[in-house]
Amino acid sequence: MKAIVVGGGIGGLATAVSLRRVGWEVVVYERAAAFGEIGAGVGVMPNALRALEWMGLDDEIRQLGTPRVSGGVRAEDGRWLVHMPDVGQEKVIAMHRADLHGVLLRALPPEILFTDVEVTSADDLDADLVVAADGINSRLRAELLPGAPGPEYAGATAWRGVAPGPCDLPISQTLGPGAEAGVLPLGDGRVCWYVAAVAPAGADLDPVSLFGRWHDPLPELLASTPDVLRHDIHQLPLLPTFVGGRVALLGDAAHAMTPYLGQGACMALEDAVTLALCNGDLARYDALRRPRTRSVWKGSRMAGRFGIELRSPIALALRNFAFRVMPPSLAVRGMTQFSSWEVPAEVHSNGSNPVVN
Ligand SMILES: Cc1cc2nc3c(=O)[nH]c(=O)nc-3n(C[C@H](O)[C@H](O)[C@H](O)COP(=O)(O)OP(=O)(O)OC[C@H]3O[C@@H](n4cnc5c(N)ncnc54)[C@H](O)[C@@H]3O)c2cc1C
């Protein structure tokens, strides 16, 4: 069985690794001149680590990343609103996105990877399975579901970067009026950070002045980052299906979500393993992945509503009070509710284990 994967981001490469693991012949077409990943940090959540474990890549991920317990949620002056205890919960692996992408890339033979190939129609592709992993603005999705709405602006803009910084910072999210920030220390003297603010798309804003009075080390991290990335945040309205004929949508092409739960790339890793385990049964893939990603998509939307989007002083005070009185066990449960996914055990109608070692 032959698959063509369109798009060489985290989702596309993870799919190629996973399909090869169950015996498929795979090629990857990427429109850029080189395989690579821009961006700053990524928290490999326990669910994503289980997907990487199934791919046989978890050891390398653990070596390149740093396992962390989330520290919790802070107010913009640095006060903890929720301080998460380390109660033995699974850790998040903090790493640079380029390192995660690199691990996937090295797991694939170079002769199946093609750059400078822009795919505009699945009809041009000779394969039993076409995987559309071509990102939020997917051309193949537009072809498969011409009536479905495209990405919509989620009302906020984000800046991200990597700066030198202390190794012993906890992972934290900071919530302020109409804005939020996060720090993800990589454990090697670099700290990944992001800040986001409610604003019209494309607004001319300076993050250094917007976040200049927030708690340490945010102002210094922003000021000392040479290359700051800016993204207006978009989401894809929920789709009626992820599949059609021999085409499967995967990753952001299927379910691009707001980044407030840090689960977008993690979902693409789950998709990849599930698609491989479905071994060509696309209806099963759709049945397994649409409900799961819908719930995380909605959770992320909700996290935005009660996080970055709150601006009225009364609403902020009520939210912060609720955080402060929340029992630590509830906080841990809130954090882990989306990361408890397990690799589907039996997805084959014949019950066989398809993994080829
Ligand atoms: C501000 C921000 C912060 C985020 N933070 C996190 C986080 O902390 N944790 C997390 O898990 N996720 C996070 N995400 C989400 C995450 O970045 C995405 O969910 C993930 O990168 C999607 O991967 P993908 O492979 O599906 O798509 P992409 O990374 O978009 O890859 C698509 C690939 O397809 C290629 N391509 C496109 N069109 C074609 C074509 N026609 N032919 C051939 N190739 C094509 C592109 O060049 C690209 O390489 C964040 C997103 C944003 C915007």
Side-chain angles (χ1 to χ4, degrees), residues 5-14 29-32 34-38 41-45 48 97 100-101 114 116-121 132-140 157-160 184 194-196 229-234 250-269 271:
V5 177
V6 180
I10 288 169
L13 296 189
Y29 291 151
E30 165 58 48
R31 75 172 167 197
F35 284 92
E37 178 69 33
I38 55 159
V42 63
V44 177
M45 303 288 182
R97 292 171 71 94
L100 171 58
H101 189 266
F114 297 88
D116 280 320
V117 184
E118 174 148 21
V119 177
T120 53
S121 169
D134 50 347
I136 187 169
N137 295 309
S138 170
R139 294 279 293 266
L140 296 188
T157 191
W159 296 264
R160 291 179 286 172
L184 185 73
Y194 78 90
V195 294
L229 296 165
R230 158 112 186 239
H231 278 101
D232 284 339
I233 296 173
H234 288 80
L250 183 140
D252 276 10
H255 46 64
M257 58 187 69
T258 54
Y260 307 126
L261 292 178
Q263 280 280 3
C266 300
M267 286 300 109
L269 295 168
D271 289 347

Side-chain angles (χ1 to χ4, degrees), residues 199-237:
D204 183 18
L205 295 168
D206 173 19
V208 174
S209 59
L210 272 181
F211 293 87
R213 289 172 180 274
W214 284 41
H215 66 80
D216 288 335
L218 284 166
E220 195 186 321
L221 289 174
L222 267 72
S224 62
T225 301
D227 302 308
V228 175
L229 296 165
R230 158 112 186 239
H231 278 101
D232 284 339
I233 296 173
H234 288 80
Q235 64 183 5
L236 186 67

